[in-house]
């Protein structure tokens, strides 16, 4: 009689905590969403020769480059925070997460400033713009808005984690999971910045 | 096993450097498709550094990456297969 094949790979085939594993699965599923939005934007951009190019060096490219530097630096401090927590240094972990939160808030402030500049000076809204290309506003604000929502949610998430770590709650894998989320937010911007801003520089 | 502070600092510096290269390339005039390809290559390189070191996937078991990424890669490739159609649409329209 043939035996039914069963998996005997043990209880922890990835040797990773259940919370970081859950965050990895979330991150990959969220990456599918952003991939679809980015390809949609790029498809519209490439198929239309009259696609708006509203991003002047100052302030748009200057600000978006500064925003990129802020997110990359915040990922660096977050990685240092995760490392400190794994080594049992809670005080340093809180300081590193606080620095990450500060840079995340800086990113949101600069991004909102950039949005208001586009709306007030360049007259770009969700449905209209001087180039008569309504898809630009829809795809631009949809994509960058969803990303900004992720950054804002990440700031709140990190604040909760930092407050808990300061009070002696949470373990290293909790901080690690929040770090994975934050790095993912950074990772998505590494595609939005070149695909959206640098591809549509005003000449 | 986890990345050292020196490794993390080097990755951070490399990411800032790649970003400056991208910004520098944005102002000379290239064709949109060529510029898109160059930017995609740079972005994929930056992503690999972030995933490998900041998200420390390089230090995890290979089984994790093999479980998570094939799906994502196939999905993105299928999406990218649509982009040549954007060029065709541009020529049909104008």
């Amino acid at each position: 009689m043939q035996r039914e094949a069963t998996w005997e790979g043990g209880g922890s085939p990835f040797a990773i905590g259940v919370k970081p594993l859950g965050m990895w699965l979330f991150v990959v599923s969220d990456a599918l969403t952003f991939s679809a939005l980015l390809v949609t934007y790029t498809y519209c951009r490439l198929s239309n020769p009259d696609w708006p190019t509203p991003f002047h060096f100052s302030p748009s490219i200057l600000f978006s480059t500064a925003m990129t530097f802020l997110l990359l630096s915040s990922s660096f401090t977050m990685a240092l925070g995760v490392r400190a927590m794994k080594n049992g240094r809670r005080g340093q972990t809180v300081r590193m997460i606080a620095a990450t939160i500060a840079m995340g808030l800086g990113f949101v402030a600069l991004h909102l400033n950039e949005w208001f500049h586009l709306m007030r000076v360049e007259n770009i809204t969700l449905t209209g713009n001087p180039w008569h290309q309504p898809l630009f506003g829809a795809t631009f604000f949809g994509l960058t808005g969803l990303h900004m929502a992720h950054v804002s949610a990440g700031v709140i998430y990190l604040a909760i984690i930092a407050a808990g770590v300061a009070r002696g709650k949470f373990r290293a894998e909790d901080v690690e999971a929040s770090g994975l989320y934050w790095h993912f937010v950074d990772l998505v911007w590494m595609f939005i910045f070149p695909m959206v801003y640098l591809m549509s520089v005003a000449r | 096993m986890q990345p050292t502070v020196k490794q993390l600092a080097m990755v951070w510096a490399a990411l800032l450097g790649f970003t400056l290269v991208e910004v520098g390339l944005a102002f000379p005039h290239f064709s949109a498709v060529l510029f898109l390809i160059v930017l995609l290559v740079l972005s994929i390189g930056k992503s690999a550094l972030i995933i490998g070191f900041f998200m420390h996937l390089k230090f995890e078991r290979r089984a994790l990456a093999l479980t998570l990424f094939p799906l994502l890669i196939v999905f993105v490739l299928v999406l990218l297969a649509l982009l040549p159609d954007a060029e065709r649409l541009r020529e049909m329209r104008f």
Side-chain angles (χ1 to χ4, degrees):
Chain A
M1 187 176 145
Q2 193 176 0
R3 285 180 61 196
E4 195 173 314
T6 53
W7 179 54
E8 294 173 357
S12 184
F14 303 124
I16 186 175
V18 68
K19 289 174 184 173
L21 179 60
M23 186 56 78
W24 268 115
L25 294 172
F26 168 75
V27 156
V28 170
S29 66
D30 217 15
L32 301 181
T33 307
F34 276 107
S35 304
L37 285 173
L38 269 166
V39 171
T40 303
Y41 179 90
T42 308
Y43 185 95
C44 294
R45 165 76 179 79
L46 290 178
S47 65
N48 201 327
D50 299 323
W51 194 250
T53 52
F55 303 118
H56 296 275
F57 180 72
S58 180
S60 294
I61 298 300
L62 213 53
F63 273 31
S64 54
T65 305
M67 285 150 60
T68 308
F69 279 16
L70 276 175
L71 271 193
L72 288 172
S73 303
S74 72
S75 254
F76 177 49
T77 53
M78 191 66 221
L80 293 178
V82 171
R83 190 183 149 78
M85 190 66 182
K86 282 184 176 173
N87 293 333
R89 297 195 297 268
R90 283 181 174 264
Q92 191 186 355
T93 305
V94 173
R95 285 194 295 279
M96 287 296 129
I97 297 178
T100 306
I101 291 171
M103 286 187 269
L105 289 173
F107 175 90
V108 173
L110 283 177
H111 207 168
L112 285 175
N113 187 61
E114 160 70 4
W115 268 23
F116 289 134
H117 169 80
L118 289 174
M119 286 187 260
R120 287 176 184 160
V121 179
E122 306 285 350
N123 293 316
I124 297 170
T125 64
L126 194 61
T127 54
N129 54 64
W131 294 267
H132 306 293
Q133 299 293 334
L135 276 176
F136 175 77
T139 50
F140 173 79
F141 288 114
L143 181 57
T144 57
L146 184 66
H147 181 262
M148 205 185 333
H150 275 71
V151 175
S152 306
V155 165
I156 296 166
Y157 180 19
L158 290 183
I160 293 168
I161 292 290
V165 171
R167 288 202 305 269
K169 291 182 180 175
F170 295 136
R171 291 183 301 176
E173 71 168 15
D174 295 299
V175 178
E176 190 182 344
S178 66
L180 288 174
Y181 176 84
W182 190 259
H183 298 310
F184 168 70
V185 167
D186 179 23
L187 185 65
V188 170
W189 185 255
M190 292 309 114
F191 287 90
I192 293 178
F193 172 59
M195 300 294 125
V196 174
Y197 284 88
L198 298 182
M199 281 288 291
S200 297
V201 165
R203 296 176 193 281
Chain B
M1 196 174 166
Q2 54 184 339
T4 63
V5 174
K6 188 182 173 188
Q7 279 177 324
L8 293 173
M10 284 172 66
V11 166
W12 174 58
L15 290 168
L16 296 186
F18 278 135
T19 303
L20 286 177
V21 171
E22 285 176 339
V23 174
L25 287 174
F27 289 94
H29 187 74
F30 298 111
S31 80
V33 175
L34 178 66
F35 188 44
L36 176 66
I37 292 168
V38 171
L39 288 178
L40 273 177
V41 169
L42 284 169
S43 296
I44 291 168
K46 288 166 80 177
S47 304
L49 286 174
I50 292 171
I51 293 170
F53 289 90
F54 285 171
M55 299 171 93
H56 50 81
L57 191 66
K58 185 177 185 298
F59 304 90
E60 306 289 358
R61 280 193 189 170
R62 189 177 293 177
L64 182 62
L66 291 177
T67 303
L68 294 172
F69 287 97
L71 149 83
L72 182 60
I73 291 167
V74 170
F75 181 81
V76 171
L77 287 177
V78 170
L79 286 176
L80 288 178
L82 295 172
L83 287 185
D85 186 60
E87 284 286 300
R88 185 185 63 86
L89 193 66
R90 184 189 186 116
E91 285 163 15
M92 280 174 69
R93 208 189 264 170
F94 302 97

